[in-house]
Amino acid sequence: RISKDPSNVSLLQGFFLKLSSSLDGPVERLKQLNSPEAVRITNYYSSQLVAFVRNVLEIVPVSVFAIMVQMSDIIERRLQRLPLKVQGDKLIAYAQLGERYKLAMMAHEISIFADGILEMENTVIGGAQVNPRKLLDEGLRKELVSHVSELLNNLLQFDFSASSETVASMIKHQATTMRSLTSLSGRLEGFQVALECVEDYVCMHGLKMWHEELSRIMNYNVEQEVNKYLLKKVLDADSNFQSDIVPIPRFPRTQNEPSCINFMGRIVSMLVKITDAQYTTYSIEKSGWFMSDGSEVCGLKTVALIRRAIGVYGLTGVDRLLCYRILHELHRFVKFFRTNVSKQGVLLEQLRDELFPEWKTPKSAVAIYASGSKKTEMLMLPMLTCFRRVGQAQLLRRMIRFELQRCARVDAKMLQHTVSTLNASLLSEQHPLEGGSEDMKNTCDMSVAVGIGDPLGTIFMKTDPLEGLPVLMLFFVITYIPKLSYNPT
């Protein structure tokens, strides 16, 4: 009845009053008997009745959000963007009276739903107090999280296959990816604008709700994706971002990306694959990866499009996942070094003695370099794999940091200056923040969000000195420098 006639929402007030009185008699009898279990029994049945009330009222936020989805579709696909200047003879075309009338009717229908809830008074059911406004807010958040999570999961699926890619297929898949990101950006922008349109009708802070829930979705998915790098997994029960009332849904892994837990992992995997050195070349001057024919596959525009699609929260999440990827590679390198390179300690010691002193070119240098390169040849390929992966991730992090900095300069200039000043003051002082490690962590997270700091200066881990690493690095450079070529064009 409520979905057909929104005005019937007001009839629920009497039903809830009768429901609240259903527990009064049994509770009073338990108190008269001085039962030690009175409080526990009252709390249990009160929670069950509150859950029932929440399920009954759930039809209201479900209906409201269904209307908001229609509004977002009109805003995204039919409503034209107003330019800064409009010529007089084109005002009628930009007015779009039909679409705006539909938006007004939908907003009116939402206001009828909301009025029925907002007119209800707080009701005490057993020992629990039910606030209809809070239930409406939680219901809208639940629907928002469900729709946005499903949209992110469906649109952020990519067809890259590392084993069977060619240059032509890489370009095709990259174009498909850009279209998916553009579509996702438009859909999420439509949701956000629709929330802002109806926030006054349902007495809520729509933009605040949007940012809080989008941040929670991104952080939760990043947290779950990071689990594959951790020995101690973060379960839903231990997560700071998961909620029983407004749960974030989990989706099965895709067939194309079975190693990725969710869409955040698929984004990182997509970036790593389209910037693979097997197909692309990185240009320092243009800050991007290019194919052999000169076409750009990943650059600043790509990162800007990802930021518009998943927001600043999502972009900082990608940066965090890249950090864990780098840390994983460094742990593997240290393990490889201690397992394999340490066995060659005598060889590395002999090479270091032949190269001593370090500041002077040794006699018969060519023979020493050739002999050393041949003796350490079996160690070069694992080092090359590690360095390529770490360098690729660091270049991606630098592009992400630049985009965050550029976005903050435009949209949050005062915040960026404030965080920059705080960061400079902390670096100049000897004592840490008064709040301790938690405040320091918040400051670091805020610094990353506004693009402050150099990703290449990040300290990922500390370890004991690796004996022989400088000598091995020397022969690594000598081995691979002749294989590199410079193209001035």
Side-chain angles (χ1 to χ4, degrees):
R1 290 177 59 185
I2 293 175
S3 59
K4 294 180 180 179
D5 186 3
S7 61
N8 287 329
V9 174
S10 58
L11 301 178
L12 292 174
Q13 178 67 25
F15 169 70
F16 292 146
L17 290 174
K18 291 182 179 180
L19 193 64
S20 64
S21 62
S22 64
L23 274 180
D24 293 344
V27 169
E28 188 64 28
R29 295 295 181 268
L30 288 173
K31 290 181 179 179
Q32 291 173 356
L33 293 173
N34 295 324
S35 174
E37 302 294 331
V39 176
R40 189 171 65 87
I41 294 174
T42 302
N43 291 337
Y44 172 76
Y45 283 104
S46 298
S47 63
Q48 294 297 312
L49 288 177
V50 170
F52 174 72
V53 170
R54 181 177 283 110
N55 289 334
V56 172
L57 286 178
E58 192 174 356
I59 184 61
V60 177
V62 169
S63 302
V64 168
F65 207 85
I67 299 173
M68 289 175 54
V69 170
Q70 298 177 20
M71 293 178 66
S72 67
D73 184 71
I74 293 176
I75 293 171
E76 175 198 357
R77 300 181 180 180
R78 302 181 190 177
L79 215 59
Q80 298 182 29
R81 302 290 185 221
L82 289 175
L84 296 177
K85 294 182 180 180
V86 181
Q87 297 181 3
D89 56 346
K90 295 183 179 180
L91 282 176
I92 298 178
Y94 281 106
Q96 294 182 278
L97 300 180
E99 283 73 14
R100 298 188 187 277
Y101 175 75
K102 292 179 182 179
L103 290 176
M105 291 298 295
M106 292 177 183
H108 174 68
E109 190 173 354
I110 289 176
S111 68
I112 296 176
F113 275 110
D115 285 343
I117 294 293
L118 299 177
E119 288 176 358
M120 294 183 185
E121 299 178 356
N122 293 349
T123 305
V124 178
I125 300 179
Q129 186 176 16
V130 178
N131 186 344
R133 295 193 178 194
K134 185 178 179 181
L135 293 180
L136 176 62
D137 181 81
E138 291 173 351
L140 288 175
R141 288 176 182 268
K142 181 179 178 180
E143 291 300 311
L144 175 64
V145 168
S146 176
H147 279 76
V148 172
S149 298
E150 185 176 1
L151 193 63
L152 290 168
N153 178 72
N154 293 338
L155 290 182
L156 295 179
Q157 296 187 17
F158 312 107
D159 297 329
F160 291 99
S161 177
S163 59
S164 60
E165 286 290 345
T166 62
V167 175
S169 65
M170 179 70 72
I171 295 176
K172 178 182 177 181
H173 291 157
Q174 190 265 352
T176 305
T177 301
M178 295 303 105
R179 286 195 296 269
S180 298
L181 291 173
T182 304
S183 175
L184 177 62
S185 174
R187 296 289 298 276
L188 293 183
E189 184 181 356
F191 277 136
Q192 181 179 347
V193 175
L195 270 175
E196 295 176 8
C197 288
V198 303
E199 61 181 356
D200 292 334
Y201 299 101
V202 295
C203 295
M204 67 176 186
H205 302 288
L207 193 58
K208 179 182 177 182
M209 178 189 294
W210 171 262
H211 285 295
E212 288 178 351
E213 297 307 319
L214 188 62
S215 171
R216 199 164 64 90
I217 292 171
M218 296 299 174
N219 288 324
Y220 172 76
N221 283 278
V222 170
E223 183 181 70
Q224 296 303 308
E225 190 68 35
V226 165
N227 275 340
K228 64 184 180 183
Y229 298 113
L230 302 178
L231 295 177
K232 184 178 180 181
K233 313 297 183 183
V234 180
L235 304 178
D236 283 1
D238 304 324
S239 176
N240 295 326
F241 307 107
Q242 187 60 281
S243 170
D244 293 332
I245 299 176
V246 188
I248 300 175
R250 299 190 64 170
F251 301 94
R253 305 187 186 194
T254 61
Q255 296 181 354
N256 293 329
E257 296 284 355
S259 61
C260 299
I261 299 175
N262 51 54
F263 66 89
M264 290 301 299
R266 293 197 292 270
I267 291 178
V268 174
S269 178
M270 178 269 295
L271 287 174
V272 170
K273 288 179 180 178
I274 66 174
T275 58
D276 191 350
Q278 182 179 355
Y279 309 102
T280 62
T281 302
Y282 180 75
S283 172
I284 299 178
E285 293 79 6
K286 295 186 177 181
S287 298
W289 280 265
F290 293 82
M291 303 293 289
S292 57
D293 59 354
S295 59
E296 183 182 87
V297 292
C298 183
L300 296 177
K301 293 182 180 179
T302 306
V303 179
L305 181 58
I306 295 176
R307 195 262 310 163
R308 289 198 300 271
I310 60 177
V312 173
Y313 310 110
L315 204 56
T316 53
V318 172
D319 179 81
R320 184 181 170 192
L321 288 176
L322 289 171
C323 288
Y324 274 96
R325 179 183 173 87
I326 294 172
L327 181 61
H328 178 67
E329 291 296 331
L330 292 178
H331 277 300
R332 290 179 58 184
F333 175 74
V334 172
K335 182 179 179 180
F336 158 77
F337 194 93
R338 298 194 186 283
T339 304
N340 299 288
V341 181
S342 298
K343 298 178 182 178
Q344 309 291 333
V346 177
L347 172 62
L348 296 177
E349 189 69 25
Q350 293 175 355
L351 293 173
R352 183 165 58 183
D353 293 339
E354 293 177 359
L355 295 171
F356 185 83
E358 293 82 359
W359 53 268
K360 183 179 179 182
T361 303
K363 297 180 180 179
S364 63
V366 176
I368 295 175
Y369 293 156
S371 175
S373 299
K374 186 175 181 180
K375 292 177 181 179
T376 59
E377 183 179 4
M378 75 290 295
L379 304 174
M380 294 296 108
L381 185 58
M383 292 179 61
L384 175 64
T385 302
C386 175
F387 295 160
R388 280 174 56 180
R389 291 176 178 176
V390 171
Q392 179 188 25
Q394 284 288 69
L395 289 175
L396 286 170
R397 290 187 64 226
R398 189 165 68 173
M399 292 176 61
I400 290 173
R401 195 66 60 90
F402 176 81
E403 173 61 23
L404 291 172
Q405 185 181 38
R406 186 195 65 81
C407 181
R409 285 179 178 177
V410 176
D411 298 332
K413 190 174 182 180
M414 292 297 294
L415 176 62
Q416 187 185 47
H417 288 322
T418 303
V419 176
S420 179
T421 303
L422 176 61
N423 182 61
S425 65
L426 291 175
L427 292 176
S428 62
E429 297 176 0
Q430 299 298 326
H431 57 82
L433 285 175
E434 297 179 357
S437 59
E438 188 64 28
D439 285 350
M440 183 63 73
K441 180 180 180 300
N442 294 334
T443 303
C444 293
D445 292 342
M446 189 62 70
S447 300
V448 173
V450 297
I452 297 175
D454 183 12
L456 301 184
T458 305
I459 299 175
F460 293 98
M461 60 181 292
K462 61 179 182 179
T463 181
D464 297 331
L466 302 177
E467 294 295 334
L469 180 60
V471 177
L472 197 60
M473 292 293 294
L474 169 65
F475 287 104
F476 177 81
V477 173
I478 292 174
T479 301
Y480 285 104
I481 280 295
K483 299 180 181 181
L484 302 177
S485 61
Y486 175 69
N487 186 355
T489 60

